[in-house]
Amino acid sequence: MEDASVVCRQLRCGEAEAAYTVPRAERGTGPVGLRGVRCAGHEASLSLCNTSLPEATGIMEDMGALGLPPIAGSRQVRLVDGAGRCAGRVEIYYRGQWGTVCDDAWDTADANVVCRQLSCGWAVEAAGSARFGEGSGHIWLDGVNCSGDETALWNCSAEAWGQHDCGHKEDAGVVCSEFMALRLENSDGCSGRLQVFYNGTWGSVGSNSMTPHTAKLVCKELGCGDGGSREISIFYGRVNGTAWLDHVQCGESNSSFWQCPSDPWELQSYDDVRDETNITCNGRKPERTPVAACPNSTSCTDREKIRAVGGKDGCSGRVEVWHRGSWGTVCDDSWDMQDAEVACRQLGCGPAVSALAEAAFGE
C-alpha cells in the first residue's frame, strides 16, 4: 500500500484504496521499467523509492493502484511549496476547492494534528506569516485551537468555515519530523560539508565507505550540475559534530540520494574532521535576480528589513533590522532559539542552527 500511496499522490488522485497485481490478460506489452519497488510512503514520486533495475526486459507482474480524487463532499489536507509532502503551507480541500488556514493562534498542537493526519510524524515547527509563500482563493479556517488529540484538522475548535479576518500573508504552515532536506554547507550551496535535515535537526553525513556515485547524486539533487567529487582530507582535525547517516552507498540504480542504502538513521557524534563528507559539484545554482536595497526601495518586503552581517554568508551573522531610515542591531537579552528561528525564516534561510549572543559576530 505504501507504493500505491506514492503513485496516487504523484498523480493527484487522492489516497490509495488498493494495491493489486494486474491480471495476465490486462498486462502491458513493453519492457519493465522498475522492479523491486519499495516505498516508505512519504516519497513525493515513485522515482524516489528504493528500486532495482529489471534483470531482463519483458513483461513480469505489472502492478496497479486504485485511488480516489478529491470529490466535492470530501475534506482533505495537504502541505504545499515545502519541497516535500511533509512540510509546507497548510491547505484544506472543502466544497470542491483548496484553501488555506490563517495563522491566528496557530501553534504546535495544531501542527501536530496535520503531521499525524498526513503520516508525517510530529510537528517540529508551526510556521506562520506565509513562511511557505502565500496561497490563493479561500481561507477556510481561522482561530484553529486543537488539543492535539484530534484525528483531523477540521475536528479542532475554530471559527466557522470561511469566516476569518486574515489575508494570505498570514497563511499557516508546518514542518513535520519526517521532512527531509539536503544541503552543502557553503555560501554558494554547491560545495562544502554535506548535511541532511531530519526530525527538525541538521546533521552531517559520514564519509565511511561512501561510493563515488553518491557525490554525483547529491549535486544533481541540489541543482549543482550533473557531477561532483568528494574532497578527502588525510589529516586529523578535532571537531565536535553530529551526523545522521554513515556508510551511504549510492549506485547506478539509484536516481535520488534518498534511495541510497546506508546505515540506519541515527543521530550520533563524531570528533574527527575526516569523518565528514565534503563535496564539490561541477555546476552552480542559477543566480537569483537581485532585489533593490531596502534603504533605497519604496517597496521593501519583510525579508529586506532584516539582514545578517559579519558571518560567512547572508544566513549567519549579527542580526540587524532597518527602522526609520537606518540599520540597527538587536540586544541579546532573552535571545533564544525561538527568536533565531523567526530571523532565519524571515531571511529565507531555513531552520536556525544556533542563537548566538555577546556580539559573537562583532559589534
Side-chain angles (χ1 to χ4, degrees):
M1 280 296 290
E2 287 82 2
D3 308 333
S5 292
V6 174
V7 172
C8 291
R9 188 165 56 249
Q10 187 175 356
L11 294 173
R12 300 183 183 276
C13 291
E15 296 301 315
E17 283 216 324
Y20 60 93
T21 301
V22 177
R24 184 175 295 276
E26 300 175 13
R27 294 177 186 174
T29 58
V32 176
L34 292 177
R35 176 177 159 294
V37 178
R38 299 181 304 280
C39 301
H42 58 71
E43 295 85 354
S45 69
L46 197 63
S47 65
L48 299 179
C49 299
N50 281 314
T51 60
S52 58
L53 294 175
E55 295 176 357
T57 57
I59 300 306
M60 302 167 80
E61 293 185 352
D62 291 352
M63 310 313 294
L66 175 63
L68 291 175
I71 57 177
S74 70
R75 300 175 190 174
Q76 293 191 21
V77 66
R78 67 183 182 185
L79 298 176
V80 180
D81 293 338
R85 78 175 197 91
C86 290
R89 181 176 63 252
V90 181
E91 294 192 352
I92 295 176
Y93 188 80
Y94 179 66
R95 290 187 176 178
Q97 296 182 60
W98 288 100
T100 63
V101 175
C102 182
D103 66 4
D104 289 350
W106 185 253
D107 60 19
T108 303
D110 311 324
N112 266 327
V113 173
V114 174
C115 292
R116 188 166 57 248
Q117 192 172 352
L118 292 172
S119 299
C120 286
W122 58 89
V124 297
E125 181 183 353
S129 302
R131 155 85 182 276
F132 296 99
E134 297 182 12
S136 60
H138 293 284
I139 297 176
W140 281 129
L141 291 178
D142 186 15
V144 177
N145 184 19
C146 302
S147 68
D149 297 324
E150 294 85 355
T151 57
L153 190 62
W154 42 83
N155 293 337
C156 301
S157 172
E159 300 292 336
W161 285 91
Q163 299 297 310
H164 64 86
D165 58 357
C166 306
H168 282 295
K169 65 180 181 180
E170 299 170 80
D171 285 344
V174 172
V175 178
C176 302
S177 60
E178 290 299 309
F179 170 69
M180 297 181 291
L182 190 68
R183 73 179 181 186
L184 290 174
E185 193 183 30
N186 204 343
S187 58
D188 64 3
C190 289
S191 65
R193 179 171 53 151
L194 177 62
Q195 291 192 311
V196 292
F197 184 80
Y198 179 67
N199 200 17
T201 303
W202 284 104
S204 297
V205 177
S207 60
N208 293 306
S209 304
M210 181 174 285
T211 56
H213 194 69
T214 303
K216 178 180 179 180
L217 277 187
V218 167
C219 293
K220 290 178 67 175
E221 195 106 9
L222 294 174
C224 293
D226 58 2
S229 59
R230 281 182 52 208
E231 304 296 328
I232 300 176
S233 174
I234 61 174
F235 299 106
Y236 171 79
R238 185 170 181 81
V239 293
N240 183 21
T242 54
W244 271 119
L245 284 174
D246 202 2
H247 295 91
V248 180
Q249 297 184 321
C250 299
E252 294 291 339
S253 63
N254 302 121
S255 58
S256 166
F257 175 83
W258 308 110
Q259 294 178 353
C260 302
S262 70
D263 286 349
W265 286 68
E266 181 181 7
L267 200 60
Q268 49 194 320
S269 60
Y270 63 91
D271 59 10
D272 189 343
V273 70
R274 292 174 295 183
D275 291 331
E276 297 178 340
T277 299
N278 286 271
I279 291 175
T280 299
C281 300
N282 64 8
R284 297 178 61 188
K285 293 182 178 180
E287 293 186 7
R288 297 178 180 176
T289 303
V291 296
C294 187
N296 302 318
S297 173
T298 58
S299 58
C300 281
T301 67
D302 285 343
R303 181 167 178 174
E304 281 95 46
K305 291 176 184 175
I306 186 173
R307 67 185 183 183
V309 180
K312 64 182 179 181
D313 53 37
C315 289
S316 63
R318 181 178 62 253
V319 179
E320 295 188 356
V321 293
W322 176 260
H323 181 62
R324 292 186 178 179
S326 63
W327 289 103
T329 60
V330 177
C331 180
D332 66 4
D333 289 351
S334 302
W335 182 257
D336 58 19
M337 281 295 290
Q338 287 183 312
D339 308 323
E341 284 282 356
V342 174
C344 289
R345 184 164 63 244
Q346 194 172 346
L347 288 166
C349 292
V353 176
S354 59
L356 303 178
E358 297 181 353
F361 293 98
E363 297 181 0

